[in-house]
Amino acid sequence: MPQIPDVPLDGLYGDLILEHFRSPRNSAVLLAADLEAEEFNPFCGDRIILQLKLDEAGRVVQVGVQSEGCSIIQATASLMSEAMKGKKLEELEDLAELFRDTMRGNTDDQNTEEDLGPLQSLTVVRRFPVRIKCALLPWVALEEGIKTYRSSQTRDQ
Ligand code: ZN
């Protein structure tokens, strides 16, 4: 199978993506996580392990994320990890939905720009449709992790 060329990282947004790819944030493994998820995309060897630690109010206090594969998943995982701190799970679900809609071109950029913050830089990936999946995989992990976490909470009660 021919190798799919990686996204050329040019321009202003490319710089931020490249910077996160080169020095990923929050990459340490958490020893006691409340929420954990792992996703794999064999298409380009993308893998992500996501961990969240929540405080008593249900807000994210710590994030641990390890990713491998193409530059886009690694940069997305890093950017996402920074966007999650201090947020509740419901807020993260809203963010995931907004991000997905934006990547699929279903939103008005002007309106979403502020809400997405630095994640906005990833809209450059829309020019490379084959890579959109890479940018969405960390969010799939997040949503799966939230689902698993909620069902375990229900079981405990
Ligand atoms: Zn990828």
Side-chain angles (χ1 to χ4, degrees), residues 41 43-46 69-73 130-131 133-135:
N41 172 17
F43 183 68
C44 53
D46 289 346
C70 69
S71 58
I72 293 304
I73 185 160
V130 76
R131 293 282 170 200
K133 248 190 170 167
C134 308

